[in-house]
Amino acid sequence: MNSFGRLFRFTTWGESHGPAIGAVVDGCPPGLAIDEGVIQPFLDARRPGQSKFTTQRQEPDQVRILSGVFEGRTTGTPISLMIENVDQRSKDYSEVAVAYRPGHADYAYDAKYGFRDYRGGGRSSARETASRVAAGAVARLVIPEVKILAYVSEIGGDMIDPGKFDEAEIANNPFFCPDAAAAARWEKIVDDARKSGSSVGAVVECYASGVPAGWGAPLYAKLDADLAAAMMGINAVKGVEIGDGFAAARLSGEQNADPMRPNAEGPDGAPEFLANHAGGIAGGISTGQPVTCRVAFKPTSSILTPQATINRSGEATEMFTKGRHDPCVGIRGVPVVEAMMALVLADHKLLHRGQCG
Ligand SMILES: Cc1cc2nc3c(=O)[nH]c(=O)nc-3n(C[C@H](O)[C@H](O)[C@H](O)COP(=O)(O)O)c2cc1C
């Protein structure tokens, strides 16, 4: 239950306050040029402690490749990636050991296993997502024809203005926000939430362009189903939409259609599409249009405001969470969403090649 993918398959391991975390990537084609420098920029984008709008835990997140690479190229054998944990403060979690944070995984883990590593949330900590980001960097090597772009489109209910979308702006602010005016507003929204001991949710949107028609499969390996599972598997994600998603349920058939016309310049006779309500996927298979999804992150559950809960003996108590937490987890979710998109697409590219050549 810690592995994902069929042909391009990865397994993550490790806990928030253990000595290290990591991933084992299996099924990666041989001969791809790789070293730590190829993976590190993606980890740097997810790294905590880079602004006052994320957790202040300081983790350098330096990745080491332990196997599967020889003379700078993948060998086709399992690629083991390791990231050391260096900034653990387990004493911050003494309350979490005896009582359950409402909204977090503490109660559910105890109910299932009867025992849990409570330090920093153990395996349920989003520290694990660093491993996915590292694996996702390897996946990107398998799909060089694809460009993946994710950004935050909404924080605390405040949305970007799509008319002010500027891709260059995404790297210019601490929110991965493509609208400079929205980013300025979000400073106050996130700061106010943090100062008042609360938290806010966010929506992350992701586009993958350059995906050719034909990736994906009916019916139990639909590209959209695998994407939804991948995104829903990210910590704190409570909703995933492909293309227009829930809005499609409010459209008529003609409004929701993606009309086509012949395109003399299209590769291999590919048509020109006049809309993309479907998010680039029909019948579980890519159409050649950009693959798009929208991911809803809930507000951080570890907050300083006291809330009703129970302790491990089932007695009523109140709890507020000390320690260092993200006031809006969706912000650092952006590189994780991109990584999951890359991992799903790499798997489906190999599956398509396996079946159709
Ligand atoms: C990048 C990222 C950072 C997160 N940081 C925190 C955090 O600082 N504090 C917290 O309580 N939850 C944080 N979370 C969310 C928890 O890991 C998550 O809510 C918890 O594992 C319970 O799982 P669920 O929300 O998916 O049900 C973070 C999630 C992500 C994606």
Side-chain angles (χ1 to χ4, degrees), residues 115-267:
F115 178 69
R116 76 195 141 96
D117 177 352
Y118 53 80
R119 302 163 307 160
R123 182 72 181 156
S124 74
S125 162
R127 188 88 197 104
E128 186 272 348
T129 59
S131 305
R132 300 172 188 231
V133 169
V138 182
R140 286 171 191 260
L141 302 176
V142 179
I143 49 167
E145 64 274 58
V146 176
K147 178 186 167 192
I148 298 173
L149 180 71
Y151 54 87
V152 179
S153 64
E154 186 177 331
I155 283 186
D158 185 78
M159 289 174 216
I160 59 165
D161 175 352
K164 296 200 180 125
F165 188 99
D166 177 2
E167 187 179 326
E169 187 56 34
I170 296 172
N172 278 347
N173 61 71
F175 303 107
F176 298 102
C177 176
D179 167 357
R185 296 195 302 272
W186 293 352
E187 291 203 6
K188 181 165 165 40
I189 291 173
V190 179
D191 219 27
D192 284 355
R194 187 177 58 85
K195 283 184 188 146
S196 65
S198 185
S199 59
V200 281
V203 176
V204 174
E205 294 184 357
C206 186
Y207 286 79
S209 50
V211 178
W215 293 3
L219 286 159
Y220 301 106
K222 283 179 140 185
L223 183 57
D224 37 1
D226 281 0
L227 268 181
M231 300 302 171
M232 201 58 115
I234 301 173
N235 312 43
V237 170
K238 295 308 267 186
V240 181
E241 296 183 310
I242 308 291
D244 281 7
F246 273 66
R250 295 171 212 123
L251 299 178
S252 64
E254 61 276 22
Q255 286 170 329
N256 187 57
D258 295 331
M260 287 169 262
R261 66 177 171 217
N263 180 10
E265 284 153 36

Side-chain angles (χ1 to χ4, degrees), residues 104-105 124 126 234-236 297-298 300-302 325-326 329 332-333:
H104 213 287
S124 74
I234 301 173
N235 312 43
F297 285 85
K298 73 186 189 186
T300 322
S301 41
S302 302
H325 295 278
D326 286 279
V329 299
R332 289 175 55 235

Side-chain angles (χ1 to χ4, degrees), residues 23 72 101 246 266 278 351:
R101 284 171 293 177
F246 273 66
L351 283 164

Side-chain angles (χ1 to χ4, degrees), residues 37 69 74 234 260 337:
V69 175
T74 58
I234 301 173
M260 287 169 262
V337 166

